[in-house]
Amino acid sequence: MLSIFKPYICVPGAPARKLHTLLVAVLLLTASIANASPTLLTFDEALRLATAASTSARASRASVAASSQAAARADQLPDPMLKLGLDNLPVSGPDKFRPNADFMTMRRIGIEQQWVSRDKRQARSERAQRATESAEGEYLEKVATVREEAGKAWLTVLYRQRAVVLSRSVAREMEQDLAALQAAHRGAKASASDVLQAKTELILSRDSIQAAEQELETAQINLRRWTRTDIVGVADTPPELTTHVPTLPASDLERYHPTVLNARRAISLADADKAVAVRERNPDWSFEAGFAQRSSQYSNMVSFGVSIPLTLNRAQRQDRDIAEKSELGTKARLEYEEALVDMQSMIQAQSAQLESFKRRIALLKMELLPTANQQVDLSLADYRGGTGTLTAVFKARRTSLEKRLQVNALEQEAALVWASLELHVIPHDIATQSRAAQ
């Protein structure tokens, strides 16, 4: 630092005001950095971080890329085969192992190509495309699971933060009341029994704080597991618990709900497997051409040939393969119907559960919490009027805290049901981006 400020000191006539201004600026910058409050993690940022950090999602994305590479080569002809050989070499007699002695000995070079028909290669390519789509469905399933679990972890941290704040606020009020009670006891206006009972209530309140803090720490650890970031807290801005999933038609569920999407793509893959089996019923022919060289006194020769597999037991081999793939297609269709019915029933049940939670929360906030607050006010008024005890005030406040914590816990349950319902559906932009990346 001295080397930085030295020029201002040594230059003759340099205004001291410049040095002072620079020092003040450095000190203010340092103070702002030191006092900057850490940024609280928002809900959307938690989902983004979890999706980007998930190794299982990246592994599934690599599987999609691998399937795309396989699809790109599915319609290619097999590589040709270079064939080299030495035919009719004597192994006995005076000319044994002499390649130039016998007129029948030939050095042979040739090439063989297996020919796969265009429709068969097209069927294989189609099947590879369906396999890529199936791999993409597994990737979207991973993304949906990560988003759901990260969202639940974020919501759990939020409501446990609120529980800690509620517990601490009530404890501070109890501490203030206990100080007043101890002062009254010193002035012979309160009994020692009242002081001891008040201390007991305060101890229980502090124990509730420690329990809430432990639950919060556990929730933060779980959130760090999904986001792979060190967090100090989450922003107290929960998402609105509104969902459009119950109104989605089956066609949209097939596009955006991974469970139904994978069931539908399993049908497409099974149909593609059957199409390949039908095309494979006709065997591939192999064509061969070769050149044979003999010694100089004999003529060289060329050869042509074709290899044709004989499907002598087609009913027990190729036809049974087609029947197998057909049955697997039937299985995929039945599983799709079951998956669609199960998912629609689950969505309806979760939607009804969410609406029930909302009604209960609204009722408790409208009736239960005001009643608990009135009880605290009445106990406090009785105490100040000399007809009640501070212990009754403490108990009323603890009861009020328990009711507020009950509502907070109910809000957490509602938020977790909403996360299960809403976050397991892939957003339109993620689904579109995944298809465009193929």
Side-chain angles (χ1 to χ4, degrees):
M1 296 299 293
L2 291 177
S3 62
I4 295 176
F5 299 132
K6 187 173 181 180
Y8 291 95
I9 299 173
C10 297
V11 174
R17 184 171 52 192
K18 292 183 179 180
L19 176 60
H20 180 266
T21 303
L22 182 59
L23 286 172
V24 171
V26 172
L27 291 175
L28 288 176
L29 179 61
T30 304
S32 65
I33 294 175
N35 297 328
S37 59
T39 303
L40 298 178
L41 187 66
T42 64
F43 182 75
D44 291 338
E45 184 67 10
L47 297 184
R48 187 190 66 80
L49 289 174
T51 303
S54 173
T55 53
S56 61
R58 293 205 301 271
S60 295
R61 182 77 260 181
S63 179
V64 175
S67 295
S68 298
Q69 297 296 330
R73 71 170 190 270
D75 64 344
Q76 301 296 311
L77 285 171
D79 291 333
M81 296 179 61
L82 178 65
K83 308 186 74 171
L84 303 174
L86 184 63
D87 296 336
N88 303 324
L89 178 67
V91 295
S92 63
D95 295 332
K96 66 177 181 180
F97 303 124
R98 293 174 58 191
N100 297 323
D102 194 285
F103 74 97
M104 292 185 62
T105 303
M106 297 179 290
R107 301 171 183 85
R108 177 173 46 82
I109 182 171
I111 190 167
E112 181 179 353
Q113 175 67 63
Q114 184 183 13
W115 182 256
V116 182
S117 64
R118 181 62 188 172
D119 59 343
K120 185 180 293 188
R121 286 184 284 138
Q122 183 63 36
R124 292 177 181 177
S125 179
E126 186 72 16
R127 194 268 175 205
Q129 292 292 337
R130 301 293 81 78
T132 301
E133 292 177 356
S134 180
E136 184 206 14
E138 294 177 3
Y139 162 72
L140 293 176
E141 179 73 42
K142 292 290 184 182
V143 171
T145 299
V146 169
R147 282 170 50 83
E148 180 181 346
E149 294 301 325
K152 288 181 176 180
W154 188 94
L155 291 167
T156 302
V157 170
L158 170 65
Y159 289 102
R160 288 184 179 176
Q161 280 181 178
R162 292 181 175 181
V164 170
V165 171
L166 287 173
S167 300
R168 288 174 178 172
S169 65
V170 172
R172 283 194 297 269
E173 293 174 355
M174 288 184 174
E175 289 171 354
Q176 294 172 0
D177 291 341
L178 178 60
L181 182 61
Q182 289 174 333
H185 174 64
R186 288 192 295 269
K189 295 181 181 180
S191 66
S193 176
D194 289 339
V195 174
L196 290 177
Q197 290 181 1
K199 284 184 177 180
T200 300
E201 293 292 334
L202 181 58
I203 291 171
L204 292 175
S205 179
R206 288 172 175 170
D207 181 68
S208 298
I209 293 175
Q210 291 182 355
E213 289 176 342
Q214 178 59 50
E215 291 179 348
L216 174 59
E217 183 179 358
T218 302
Q220 288 175 335
I221 292 172
N222 187 40
L223 181 56
R224 293 190 194 104
R225 174 256 182 272
W226 291 106
T227 61
R228 305 291 202 275
T229 57
D230 291 331
I231 61 168
V232 295
V234 301
D236 199 341
T237 53
E240 294 185 7
L241 303 186
T242 57
T243 177
H244 66 289
V245 178
T247 62
L248 288 178
S251 59
D252 282 345
L253 288 177
E254 290 179 3
R255 297 172 61 191
Y256 301 116
H257 199 293
T259 301
V260 184
L261 180 146
N262 283 329
R264 168 56 70 184
R265 292 187 177 181
I267 295 177
S268 299
L269 181 58
D271 289 344
D273 280 333
K274 180 182 177 181
V276 170
V278 171
R279 298 297 187 277
E280 295 290 349
R281 193 170 185 269
N282 298 318
D284 299 328
W285 293 17
S286 296
F287 298 92
E288 178 182 0
F291 172 77
Q293 183 186 47
R294 298 196 290 178
S295 58
S296 57
Q297 66 269 29
Y298 304 112
S299 300
N300 297 325
M301 297 182 180
V302 294
S303 301
F304 302 96
V306 59
S307 299
I308 304 174
L310 300 178
T311 54
L312 300 179
N313 199 11
R314 180 173 289 180
Q316 296 299 322
R317 294 176 58 84
Q318 286 81 5
D319 290 352
R320 288 193 179 277
D321 188 31
I322 295 173
E324 175 195 1
K325 299 301 189 293
S326 180
E327 292 299 327
L328 290 176
T330 301
K331 171 178 175 288
R333 283 174 171 79
L334 294 175
E335 289 179 344
Y336 164 78
E337 293 177 4
E338 188 72 16
L340 181 60
V341 171
D342 286 349
M343 192 51 56
Q344 289 175 331
S345 299
M346 184 182 299
I347 289 173
Q348 291 174 2
Q350 290 178 335
S351 178
Q353 189 178 14
L354 178 60
E355 293 304 318
S356 175
F357 276 131
K358 288 181 179 180
R359 289 193 296 268
R360 291 174 59 191
I361 292 169
L363 182 64
L364 292 178
K365 285 185 175 180
M366 183 173 60
E367 298 182 1
L368 180 63
L369 295 186
T371 302
N373 292 334
Q374 290 175 5
Q375 185 63 40
V376 174
D377 294 339
L378 290 175
S379 300
L380 189 58
D382 291 342
Y383 169 71
R384 290 172 177 171
T387 59
T389 64
L390 194 58
T391 302
V393 176
F394 275 28
K395 289 183 178 181
R397 282 182 171 161
R398 279 186 55 81
T399 302
S400 176
L401 172 62
E402 290 173 356
K403 302 308 178 186
R404 284 188 281 178
L405 290 176
Q406 178 183 349
V407 173
N408 185 68
L410 202 60
E411 289 178 330
Q412 178 179 336
E413 289 186 52
L416 294 181
V417 171
W418 172 86
S420 297
L421 186 62
E422 185 73 14
L423 296 182
H424 207 74
V425 175
I426 297 296
H428 176 74
D429 56 342
I430 295 180
T432 304
Q433 183 181 12
S434 178
R435 285 192 291 266
Q438 291 185 23

